[in-house]
Amino acid sequence: MKTHREEIWLEIPDRRGFRNITPEIERALAKSGIREGLCLVNSMHITSSVFVNDDERGLHADLEKWLERLAPHEPVSGWQHNRTGEDNADAHLKREVLGRGVVVAVTGGKLDFGTWEQIFYGEFDGRRRKRVLVKIIGE
Amino acid sequence: MKTHREEIWLEIPDRRGFRNITPEIERALAKSGIREGLCLVNSMHITSSVFVNDDERGLHADLEKWLERLAPHEPVSGWQHNRTGEDNADAHLKREVLGRGVVVAVTGGKLDFGTWEQIFYGEFDGRRRKRVLVKIIGE
Amino acid sequence: MKTHREEIWLEIPDRRGFRNITPEIERALAKSGIREGLCLVNSMHITSSVFVNDDERGLHADLEKWLERLAPHEPVSGWQHNRTGEDNADAHLKREVLGRGVVVAVTGGKLDFGTWEQIFYGEFDGRRRKRVLVKIIGE
């Protein structure tokens, strides 16, 4: 069995935003030399997500508005967590909707994806450097 | 280490619907000959889900109504994604609530499940053939 | 390849509640002797979740209130599933938001976590003994 571990650092300039990280994951997989196995990709932070969806700008705008409706940032004082001095309670909740991460099959040395699947980092409390973990196991 | 890969094709006749795919996953596991490991099951589409819950008709009706309330199909023009000519923005969002897929433990050659756990395919933009990926690794 | 399997039993005294189970998972990992691999942790019940977030009391209160707003317990008769004699339809839905379980990377014999990541059991239909499955594969 082989394993490969890598951190991907990124900084979203706004509080919220999405970034396609598929190319970085493909590079990590190529480096690993693994041809059959599983690839775990997860945010190492609890106010952001890694998820698989469509690379379409309108959809990302919809996702952003929809999550803001489900778990609004304002009023900041409406969430108990923010009494600790934070203002990111909504980010902890939004991240639960999209999830912490994904497990992707590796087949023939490639991410085993359907036609439109792409991996995204979803940030809900940005404007600072954050990390995504890639762990691949297989052979 | 052994790996097994399989695609399950299915077509839900309506826009939305749920189907219990546990028997198909059990057959794939039996074919694999793997007795200890992990089994990834995920939708290869970004408008449907694979998830674990109860095989109870009333619950599926509740899930359907609940997701429609959280991310309504209508008005179609209310979602930016639909300006691309699509009408399935809500399906991309609904799928985020139930998730892309599940990882199930394999123990003694069986899916290692609690009493009521069953694997479902959740469709939010159906009426065409779609694929579920099964990838099992272990020994 | 090595594998390790363990069940963690727990009982939440109220209908809903969260418990940090990171120490139990760390003990299971230590017992396994696995240094590189993947660790799956999932609820074996369909009315509870295993998820990764912050160990902060205010946040857990927010999560509880937020899930209750998204999928209210009352009116019990508002959900079709409850016509079976159950009163836990809301628990089946809440569990979909937080998810069935998580896959955590194992690196150097440790859970490969960011600074604030902790694993929680989220109960939505408690007051009885329930099980969490831990399955670790690697070497």
Side-chain angles (χ1 to χ4, degrees):
Chain A
M1 209 192 76
K2 272 177 167 177
T3 69
H4 179 78
R5 178 200 193 268
E6 207 169 312
E7 290 178 8
I8 294 167
W9 285 85
L10 66 180
E11 181 167 350
I12 302 290
D14 300 308
R15 183 184 295 275
R16 291 190 287 275
F18 300 108
R19 186 172 301 162
N20 189 337
I21 56 172
T22 316
E24 283 90 338
I25 311 304
E26 285 169 341
R27 273 198 292 277
L29 178 55
K31 261 194 268 177
S32 77
I34 291 171
R35 295 192 56 79
E36 296 293 324
L38 296 176
C39 173
L40 168 70
V41 188
N42 68 263
S43 172
M44 299 185 80
H45 302 263
I46 50 190
T47 50
S48 55
S49 289
V50 169
F51 65 102
V52 166
N53 214 310
D54 198 1
D55 199 357
E56 199 278 307
R57 232 159 31 144
L59 180 68
H60 298 178
D62 291 334
L63 264 173
E64 210 282 330
K65 249 166 77 178
W66 178 64
L67 290 171
E68 183 58 19
R69 206 168 63 219
L70 293 182
H73 181 66
E74 306 271 1
V76 167
S77 65
W79 304 110
Q80 282 194 44
H81 177 59
N82 292 338
R83 296 186 197 162
T84 61
E86 301 274 4
D87 68 350
N88 64 4
D90 65 302
H92 288 275
L93 306 181
K94 286 174 169 111
R95 103 79 161 243
E96 291 302 333
V97 180
L98 298 194
R100 171 186 182 246
V102 290
V103 176
V104 181
V106 173
T107 302
K110 305 280 180 203
L111 298 174
D112 195 335
F113 268 157
T115 316
W116 301 103
E117 289 187 281
Q118 295 282 300
I119 307 177
F120 292 89
Y121 176 73
E123 179 62 84
F124 308 113
D125 186 28
R127 298 175 295 190
R128 52 199 170 98
R129 274 161 58 74
K130 289 192 163 181
R131 288 181 292 165
V132 165
L133 180 65
V134 187
K135 182 92 185 189
I136 312 170
I137 78 170
E139 60 181 20
Chain B
M1 210 192 77
K2 272 177 166 176
T3 69
H4 179 78
R5 178 201 193 270
E6 207 169 312
E7 289 178 7
I8 295 167
W9 285 85
L10 65 182
E11 180 167 351
I12 303 288
D14 301 308
R15 184 185 293 274
R16 291 191 287 276
F18 300 108
R19 186 172 300 163
N20 189 337
I21 56 172
T22 316
E24 283 90 337
I25 311 304
E26 284 170 340
R27 272 198 291 277
L29 178 55
K31 261 195 266 177
S32 77
I34 291 172
R35 296 194 54 81
E36 297 292 324
L38 295 177
C39 173
L40 168 70
V41 188
N42 67 263
S43 172
M44 299 185 80
H45 302 262
I46 50 190
T47 50
S48 55
S49 289
V50 170
F51 65 102
V52 167
N53 215 311
D54 198 1
D55 199 357
E56 199 278 307
R57 233 159 32 143
L59 181 68
H60 298 178
D62 291 333
L63 265 172
E64 210 281 329
K65 246 164 83 176
W66 178 64
L67 290 170
E68 184 59 18
R69 205 167 64 219
L70 293 182
H73 181 67
E74 307 272 359
V76 168
S77 65
W79 304 111
Q80 283 194 42
H81 177 59
N82 292 337
R83 296 185 197 163
T84 61
E86 300 275 4
D87 68 350
N88 64 3
D90 66 301
H92 288 275
L93 305 181
K94 286 174 170 111
R95 103 78 161 243
E96 290 302 332
V97 180
L98 299 195
R100 171 187 183 249
V102 291
V103 177
V104 180
V106 174
T107 303
K110 304 280 180 202
L111 298 174
D112 195 335
F113 268 157
T115 315
W116 300 104
E117 290 187 281
Q118 294 282 302
I119 307 177
F120 292 89
Y121 176 72
E123 179 62 84
F124 309 114
D125 186 28
R127 299 174 295 192
R128 54 200 168 99
R129 273 161 59 75
K130 290 194 162 178
R131 287 180 294 163
V132 166
L133 179 65
V134 187
K135 183 92 186 189
I136 312 170
I137 78 170
E139 62 181 21
Chain C
M1 211 192 75
K2 271 178 168 173
T3 68
H4 179 78
R5 179 203 194 266
E6 206 170 313
E7 290 179 8
I8 294 167
W9 285 85
L10 66 181
E11 180 167 350
I12 302 288
D14 300 309
R15 184 184 293 273
R16 292 192 286 275
F18 300 108
R19 186 172 301 162
N20 189 335
I21 56 172
T22 317
E24 283 90 340
I25 312 304
E26 284 169 340
R27 272 198 292 277
L29 178 54
K31 261 194 268 176
S32 78
I34 291 172
R35 296 193 55 79
E36 297 293 324
L38 295 177
C39 173
L40 167 70
V41 188
N42 67 262
S43 172
M44 299 185 80
H45 302 263
I46 50 190
T47 50
S48 56
S49 290
V50 169
F51 66 101
V52 167
N53 214 309
D54 198 1
D55 197 356
E56 200 278 308
R57 229 155 38 138
L59 180 68
H60 298 179
D62 290 335
L63 265 172
E64 209 282 328
K65 248 163 82 175
W66 178 65
L67 290 170
E68 184 58 20
R69 206 168 62 220
L70 293 182
H73 180 67
E74 306 271 0
V76 167
S77 65
W79 304 109
Q80 282 194 44
H81 176 59
N82 292 337
R83 294 185 199 165
T84 61
E86 301 274 4
D87 68 350
N88 64 4
D90 65 302
H92 288 276
L93 305 181
K94 286 173 170 112
R95 103 76 162 248
E96 290 303 332
V97 180
L98 299 195
R100 171 185 182 248
V102 291
V103 176
V104 180
V106 174
T107 304
K110 305 279 180 204
L111 298 174
D112 195 336
F113 268 157
T115 315
W116 300 104
E117 288 187 283
Q118 295 282 301
I119 307 178
F120 292 89
Y121 176 73
E123 178 63 82
F124 308 114
D125 187 28
R127 299 175 295 189
R128 51 198 170 101
R129 275 161 59 74
K130 289 193 162 180
R131 288 180 293 163
V132 165
L133 179 66
V134 187
K135 183 93 185 190
I136 313 170
I137 77 169
E139 61 182 20

